[in-house]
Amino acid sequence: MSTSLHHRAVEHLGTRIVGGALPTGHVMLAEHLEDELNVSRSVVREAVRVLQSLGLVETIKRVGIRVLPAHRWNPFDPLVIRWRLAGEGRGAQLRSLAELRSAVEPVAAELAAGNAPGSLRQELVGISLAMKEAGDAGDMATFLDLDIRFHALVLSGSGNEMFANLIGQVTETLTGRTVHGLMPEHPQKEALQWHMDVAHAIDAGNGAMARDAAAKIMRQTIAELAPSWDDQPRVFVPVSRN
Amino acid sequence: MSTSLHHRAVEHLGTRIVGGALPTGHVMLAEHLEDELNVSRSVVREAVRVLQSLGLVETIKRVGIRVLPAHRWNPFDPLVIRWRLAGEGRGAQLRSLAELRSAVEPVAAELAAGNAPGSLRQELVGISLAMKEAGDAGDMATFLDLDIRFHALVLSGSGNEMFANLIGQVTETLTGRTVHGLMPEHPQKEALQWHMDVAHAIDAGNGAMARDAAAKIMRQTIAELAPSWDDQPRVFVPVSRN
DNA sequence: GAGTTTTGATGTCAGCACACATCGGTGTCA
DNA sequence: TGACACCGATGTGTGCTGACATCAAAACTC
């Protein structure tokens, strides 16, 4: 009971919409939601306002609260991402995040080589060495922790707040990959080397080298994960013409 | 007066927080906001809930509504981006968006080469040709329209909903660049060729070539824009250690 | 079929009870 | 006398409710 009614209402509706239980175009009445959730109008209205700001619903006078199509949802919102990962969109969401990572991390590494503060560069080098140790020793728990921190530091070191904001999502994919047994017993030897290459290139201020090494890591990551989402259909949103 | 009170309240508070008029840590009272905006408590509370979901404020019992530091804001939310572009964070926001573009578009082009529907590939080729015509003729208005549609199609054709969601932001940077006179009189000859290369590579299903050509466009774009934000300080968010 | 009225939903307002973190006073103990 | 723990007053967000305003869809009139 520690979570507020507002929080529970947002969560309830969000999971049901993103999870597909409430299909696109489905119309709800605020009054009906009050009964269903056993809460007052204020709670329902505040929750609906939040979902509206996420692009999940729209309110229309004289009609009610309508569920919007998925392409209107804000795919970068942490709530939406979490709800998708928890529901039937999990595969597609993981693919999207992996592709986003593969795009962002090389550029983040390149920027970090040019901008990151000295202390961050040194910590990065240290972590890459510790990763190699843990990897060679087969200590996958420690390796995962170091891996997460490594990629978080690269994103943070880019000095781009949008990249830094992806730390949470990247962490999610890294832990998810390990938890779901998609990681090899030992990390690939090349991957360990590439992490060290990224760290040393950033430390040396060599942007191109950092970018290329990070790109190699991403290519391998994608190659490992791709089979698990081969069956996920892709959605092509039509581009408005004006 | 057609906009709702709720919308105006969100807008008023959002612009003032993101614009820096309300500094980090500033505490407001709901009651005070009612007077300031001349609205009732419901409106204030619903607006605060939305801003809370964007990470702009937090509410603390017995204290009030506190403005959160910028690194807690959701940098991908369209509202936050718009408010930053309208305020003093404009330069930093444009740089962030440009860097995000430079990361995403090459990968989007690569994915489009592998996944985009046939009709989209053909339209892309047609647009790249029309861009060359308009560019050679110096018709910059038409060129801008085509340019916007070109990049929107690439992002859409990737089949990644996160990439497709960036269409609006990319459009903003492209128009902004032209409106603020950062575009050359005539588009660079190479840029026109690269756009055609991207289109033809996607049409031919050659992912690597599409990626490389798109990367060249991005490198040139960054090089053109970089001088305008050289003075913008970068912010490095510390990475939580656990 | 065009224009008008009715209806029913959200939008907005105002007042109340409650939970609870903070502050300050009071009491106890050393 | 001073330090510290306790405890109640206070103020503010949370949640509930009844009433009215607004506006667009639907029904109705001509």
Side-chain angles (χ1 to χ4, degrees), chain B residues 108-120:
Chain B
E110 183 175 7
L111 288 170
N115 303 300
S119 61
L120 194 150

Side-chain angles (χ1 to χ4, degrees), chain B residues 40-119:
Chain B
S40 72
R41 284 188 44 208
S42 347
V43 175
V44 169
R45 290 188 44 181
E46 287 165 24
V48 168
R49 278 268 138 89
V50 169
L51 297 177
Q52 198 176 24
S53 84
L54 303 183
L56 264 60
V57 302
E58 66 179 349
T59 60
I60 310 172
K61 271 180 137 84
R62 168 73 199 187
V63 174
I65 299 149
R66 177 182 294 161
V67 177
L68 290 173
H71 70 83
R72 296 282 300 275
W73 305 346
N74 181 353
F76 287 99
D77 191 277
L79 288 176
V80 175
I81 292 173
R82 184 158 56 75
W83 291 330
R84 285 194 73 197
L85 286 173
E88 61 180 20
R90 178 176 182 81
Q93 180 66 74
L94 283 174
R95 181 180 60 194
S96 291
L97 285 172
E99 288 171 355
L100 181 62
R101 269 193 75 195
S102 79
V104 164
E105 288 210 29
V107 175
E110 183 175 7
L111 288 170
N115 303 300
S119 61

